């Protein structure tokens, strides 16, 4: 960042917004899974615990990835059923069976889907990044009048 941006009159306040803690991650997960059918083995608290360093956008991506994995799994099952019930040359029959199968089942997102999603979607905030911003904030505190920096926002 150009030091000229930190001169008096450029910004009224400098605010450090840390990545979400476990409680915030849990609340973010609740929002993003509101319309997602979850299996009983899914614990949002456990996922929030495992998701250290994940931002709100990262957590949204984890939920999307888990849901897509569940849908892909269902699609593979339906295709298998259609292949067993229809002749290979009867494409119409296979398409109808797949369509009926996909419509008839509501795919529930299970813990295994989240486990895979957490491995695929990596956190965008690293400890090095957090340390960089904490150091930057300390440096900014030394350069600017104390009234311009909100220490209560720093954790």
């Amino acid at each position: 960042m150009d030091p000229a941006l930190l001169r008096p009159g450029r910004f009224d306040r400098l605010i450090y917004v840390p990545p979400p803690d476990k409680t915030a991650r849990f609340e973010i997960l609740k929002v993003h899974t509101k319309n997602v059918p979850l299996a009983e083995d899914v614990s949002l608290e456990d996922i929030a615990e495992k998701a250290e360093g994940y931002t709100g956008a990262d957590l949204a991506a984890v939920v999307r990835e888990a849901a897509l994995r569940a849908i892909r799994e269902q699609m593979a099952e339906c295709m298998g059923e259609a292949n067993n019930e229809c002749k290979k040359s009867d494409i119409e029959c296979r398409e109808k069976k797949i369509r009926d199968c996909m419509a008839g089942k509501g795919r529930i997102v299970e813990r295994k889907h989240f486990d895979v999603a957490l491995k695929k979607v990596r956190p965008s905030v690293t400890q090095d990044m957090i340390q960089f911003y904490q150091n930057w904030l300390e440096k900014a505190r030394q350069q600017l009048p104390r009234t311009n920096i909100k220490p209560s926002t720093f954790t």
Side-chain angles (χ1 to χ4, degrees):
M1 181 181 287
D2 185 346
L5 290 174
L6 298 177
R7 289 188 196 135
R10 304 286 181 177
F11 293 106
D12 281 345
R13 305 247 187 252
L14 295 177
I15 301 172
Y16 171 70
V17 179
D21 62 9
K22 181 182 172 186
T23 304
R25 291 190 302 269
F26 172 71
E27 293 299 323
I28 292 166
L29 285 166
K30 280 184 7 185
V31 167
H32 289 292
T33 58
K34 187 172 79 172
N35 296 320
V36 176
L38 300 176
E40 288 185 21
D41 68 345
V42 174
S43 167
L44 296 181
E45 293 91 356
D46 289 347
I47 296 168
E49 177 78 36
K50 292 178 181 179
E52 181 73 32
Y54 284 71
T55 64
D58 296 336
L59 293 169
V62 167
V63 172
R64 272 192 312 274
E65 182 62 30
L68 284 172
R69 291 212 170 266
I71 291 168
R72 285 185 196 115
E73 191 174 273
Q74 179 183 1
M75 180 66 129
E77 290 171 9
C78 290
M79 288 174 72
E81 287 177 23
N83 288 339
N84 290 337
E85 295 177 23
C86 300
K87 295 178 184 177
K88 287 191 181 209
S89 60
D90 193 350
I91 294 173
E92 233 177 82
C93 173
R94 292 172 65 197
E95 286 179 355
K96 182 181 180 336
K97 291 285 183 187
I98 291 170
R99 213 175 13 258
D100 292 346
C101 177
M102 291 295 289
K105 296 179 185 175
R107 190 50 165 182
I108 295 176
V109 182
E110 302 171 28
R111 181 185 184 98
K112 67 181 180 179
H113 301 123
F114 278 101
D115 290 342
V116 173
L118 283 167
K119 289 177 184 167
K120 184 171 182 183
V121 178
R122 304 304 310 155
S124 60
V125 179
T126 65
Q127 275 305 121
D128 290 341
M129 292 169 76
I130 292 170
Q131 189 61 47
F132 171 82
Y133 285 110
Q134 288 174 341
N135 291 341
W136 181 85
L137 183 61
E138 283 303 315
K139 186 176 177 182
R141 280 185 178 155
Q142 294 169 4
Q143 293 176 356
L144 295 174
R146 206 134 173 77
T147 57
N148 285 354
I149 297 178
K150 289 275 199 189
S152 64
T153 61
F154 182 75
T155 57

